[in-house]
Amino acid sequence: MNNICRKFLLQNVCKTGVLFSSKQISYSIAKVATPSSKVTSVLPTTRSIHISTSLRSNSAVDVQESKPESSENQPLEELDSKAAKYAELASDEEKKKKILMILMEHQVAMLSGNKVPQKISVNDMRELLTMFSFSSRIKYMNFMFEKEIRRAADKRKKEIKQQEREIWLKEKENIKPSEHIQYGIGHNTMILRVRKKSYLRHHNQRLANSVLFGQKFIIDLDYDCFMRKQDCNNCSEQLLELYSVNRRNQSPFDLMFCNVDHNGSTMYAFSRYMPNLYAPDNFITMTDLSYLDLYPREKLVYITPFAKEPMKTYDPNAVYIIGGLVDKCIKEPVVLAKAKREGIRAVHLPYDEYLMWGRGNKSLPLNQIMEILLEMKNTRDWNKAFSHVPKRKLVRSLDLFSDF
């Protein structure tokens, strides 16, 4: 009986090609041989062991033959699957491999307990691809983790406030109405509430009037090649503050961005800080043309701290230009050189005539220059205009006393 069962199993194995171990074959033979429900352990014979090992060796040869093809395709398939989210960034194989390397570094840092975010967005991956060292990428991931924690905390605060408001509304429904007039939050009031939309509409109306009738003011964004990526980010932050300062003023300028590179680092960071940059209600004129193509050379005045000629009076008919440049690491007067090369009049603000300047250069952020020029436009008073200069830039009375 055992020989018949053994021959039957071997024939089925040879037909189907399924690999059974010697233990499985001996177990099945014992199960067929014993009529009772209890299965007794039967030791495998030498013939079954020889057959199973031969089958296993044949299957191992097949696996080894198919292994090189799978080993070659497996990394590419894994690379494509993980980089599918960042398809717009993976333009070639090198960038795909770098994306996979960054994802592996993120996973290893997460398993080792470092402060890294749960997920990496497409914008964050674009920033990580520009970094060439492992330490810089880990520092940026730490910064992303802190941002993620702040967003989660803000979300929890909003949820708590929403729950408190729902509880307050339920309590308010149960309160019986008073016979007398009630004042306070949620009750009667004599003060008209001005909503945020009204403020925005009012400011937009001012900007619309400045586009039609206001004085032109140009920001030259032709200096990305002179700045680091961090300086481009700082420049975009100053541009955002400059826009808000101009928007809040009673008589704002008509802002124009010339020599704009929409794929540059400054404009990319500025579009992140200002999501409605390309919306029709932001009232910023952006063009890749030069200001020489738009206005006559005689009306253009370039403001730079390296110019020799001081700006004695304010000209309401002139078109003033400032360079969109953060010169923390730039020692050469690149703005003045460009103004001379293009034959444009260059002036500097008259700090020495009205202020006692302290240590450091006389370059100010773009938003502070905008505040000075707006104040000068409205009042024609340099003393009031220079009140927007930070006090840390000036000489203090204690410094004068110590020098004396």
Side-chain angles (χ1 to χ4, degrees), residues 219-239 259 261 264-270 323-332 334-335 366:
I219 312 294
D220 187 9
L221 297 178
D222 197 18
Y223 301 98
D224 281 3
C225 58
F226 297 99
M227 294 187 291
R228 303 172 301 171
K229 191 170 186 63
Q230 182 181 358
D231 296 334
C232 291
N233 293 335
N234 293 338
C235 181
S236 61
E237 292 177 357
Q238 294 180 16
L239 288 175
N259 298 317
D261 181 11
S265 301
T266 302
M267 288 303 298
Y268 171 72
F270 189 46
L325 177 68
V326 175
D327 52 354
K328 290 184 178 179
C329 299
I330 303 172
K331 297 181 181 180
E332 295 80 8
V334 292
V335 178
L366 303 179

Side-chain angles (χ1 to χ4, degrees), residues 303 309-315 320 347-350 373 382:
I303 300 176
E309 181 185 353
M311 181 180 172
K312 297 181 179 180
T313 58
Y314 182 86
D315 187 4
Y320 290 103
V347 298
H348 70 268
L349 299 179
L373 293 177
W382 283 113

Side-chain angles (χ1 to χ4, degrees), residues 35-250:
S36 60
S37 61
K38 295 181 180 180
V39 179
T40 58
S41 62
V42 180
L43 293 175
T45 60
T46 57
R47 185 179 178 184
S48 63
I49 294 173
H50 176 71
I51 293 171
S52 62
T53 52
S54 63
L55 290 172
R56 189 178 300 168
S57 63
N58 293 331
S59 63
V61 172
D62 297 335
V63 170
Q64 289 178 358
E65 291 178 355
S66 61
K67 187 175 181 180
E69 297 178 358
S70 63
S71 63
E72 291 178 359
N73 296 329
Q74 185 176 1
L76 296 176
E77 293 176 357
E78 183 182 2
L79 185 65
D80 293 337
S81 63
K82 289 190 176 182
K85 180 181 177 182
Y86 316 102
E88 59 182 17
L89 303 178
S91 58
D92 52 5
E93 290 295 328
E94 293 183 359
K95 288 188 177 180
K96 285 184 180 179
K97 291 180 181 179
K98 190 170 183 180
I99 288 172
L100 181 61
M101 181 188 68
I102 292 171
L103 293 175
M104 292 174 64
E105 291 175 354
H106 172 258
Q107 192 68 22
V108 171
M110 185 182 295
L111 293 175
S112 60
N114 293 337
K115 295 180 179 180
V116 294
Q118 294 293 328
K119 296 180 181 179
I120 300 177
S121 63
V122 178
N123 291 330
D124 292 331
M125 181 59 73
R126 185 180 287 108
E127 293 291 334
L128 291 170
L129 286 174
T130 60
M131 302 175 184
F132 298 99
S133 64
F134 172 75
S135 60
S136 61
R137 288 192 291 269
I138 291 298
K139 288 180 181 179
Y140 188 76
M141 288 183 187
N142 190 4
F143 169 69
M144 291 160 53
F145 172 78
E146 293 176 355
K147 287 177 62 177
E148 188 178 52
I149 292 298
R150 286 196 295 268
R151 284 196 297 267
D154 294 338
K155 186 178 180 181
R156 286 195 299 270
K157 289 179 182 179
K158 289 181 180 179
E159 291 176 354
I160 292 172
K161 287 183 179 180
Q162 184 65 25
Q163 293 175 0
E164 293 177 351
R165 178 170 177 78
E166 291 176 357
I167 294 172
W168 178 77
L169 290 175
K170 290 180 180 179
E171 293 178 353
K172 184 181 177 182
E173 292 177 356
N174 299 327
I175 296 175
K176 295 181 180 180
S178 177
E179 297 179 357
H180 190 68
I181 297 176
Q182 292 183 347
Y183 295 98
I185 299 175
H187 300 290
N188 298 324
T189 180
M190 294 183 294
I191 301 173
L192 181 63
R193 181 178 180 180
V194 181
R195 299 183 181 274
K196 186 177 181 180
K197 290 184 179 179
S198 302
Y199 280 111
L200 296 178
R201 195 180 299 113
H202 179 62
H203 292 319
N204 289 340
Q205 184 63 39
R206 287 180 182 172
L207 292 177
N209 293 335
S210 68
V211 171
L212 296 175
F213 312 107
Q215 186 179 2
K216 309 300 179 183
F217 191 87
I218 295 176
I219 312 294
D220 187 9
L221 297 178
D222 197 18
Y223 301 98
D224 281 3
C225 58
F226 297 99
M227 294 187 291
R228 303 172 301 171
K229 191 170 186 63
Q230 182 181 358
D231 296 334
C232 291
N233 293 335
N234 293 338
C235 181
S236 61
E237 292 177 357
Q238 294 180 16
L239 288 175
L240 181 63
E241 186 65 26
L242 178 145
Y243 172 75
S244 62
V245 166
N246 182 62
R247 192 166 179 266
R248 292 193 302 265
N249 198 268
Q250 294 290 334

Side-chain angles (χ1 to χ4, degrees), residues 217-218 296-304 309 311 315 317-322 339 344-348:
F217 191 87
I218 295 176
R297 199 185 305 269
E298 295 77 16
K299 293 184 65 176
L300 300 176
V301 179
Y302 222 122
I303 300 176
T304 171
E309 181 185 353
M311 181 180 172
D315 187 4
N317 297 321
V319 179
Y320 290 103
I321 310 170
I322 59 174
I344 300 173
R345 179 190 170 199
V347 298
H348 70 268

